[in-house]
Amino acid sequence: MNGVGAGSGLAPRQTFASGEKITVTVDPSARPGVYLASDTAVTYDCSISGDAKLAKPSERRLIEAEAAVWEQILVINAPAKGDYELTCVNDEQATVRYGIGRDFSSVVAGVADGMIIMVALAGAGLLIAVAGTIIVIVRRSGARKRLAVSG
């Protein structure tokens, strides 16, 4: 189980109730996630229109936002950018909210890419500093030798 704070930008921005049909604009590169918030365990069933598919994430992901704990239950995989109709229902008599937010794995990949870039830039800066130091040492050594010979 992994948890993340609301500051990560994952929290659902569009929410809906059980049985409510909503229109979701899906960009395949963004891979939105479907989230569920409930005080009790529920059995849910979600469906989406068109050629889009709903897939379960590989791990359980929890996000705390706006006094609720959201669990990512599905990822929307769409073949093309467009609007799709999504409905989620549950049989239990419980207070349940569903939401659409960013897929957890897409945000984690973005953070990993940022870390790689930071390490690469730090490494490049270190190489430039070492090369500059070597150039200064070689030039000073040459200047001292010339002074010693002419002196």
Side-chain angles (χ1 to χ4, degrees), residues 85-115:
E85 290 186 349
L86 174 70
T87 306
C88 292
V89 295
N90 54 283
D91 295 331
E92 294 81 8
Q93 295 297 321
T95 303
V96 178
R97 293 292 299 163
Y98 296 93
I100 305 299
R102 294 177 59 196
D103 175 38
F104 190 90
S105 62
S106 68
V107 173
V108 171
V111 170
D113 291 346
M115 293 297 289

Side-chain angles (χ1 to χ4, degrees), residues 10-95:
L10 290 170
R13 291 179 289 259
Q14 182 179 10
T15 63
F16 58 102
S18 178
E20 185 179 342
K21 185 181 284 189
I22 65 162
T23 301
V24 180
T25 301
V26 178
D27 183 354
S29 64
R31 286 184 36 148
V34 179
Y35 290 84
L36 178 141
S38 176
D39 292 336
T40 61
V42 294
T43 304
Y44 61 88
D45 182 35
C46 296
S47 61
I48 193 164
S49 66
D51 292 334
K53 304 287 184 217
L54 298 171
K56 289 192 180 255
S58 59
E59 294 182 38
R60 186 174 182 209
R61 307 288 187 182
L62 300 176
I63 301 165
E64 292 182 33
E66 299 176 17
V69 176
W70 292 91
E71 178 181 358
Q72 183 178 0
I73 56 172
L74 299 166
V75 175
I76 300 173
N77 293 318
K81 186 175 183 174
D83 291 340
Y84 298 86
E85 290 186 349
L86 174 70
T87 306
C88 292
V89 295
N90 54 283
D91 295 331
E92 294 81 8
Q93 295 297 321
T95 303

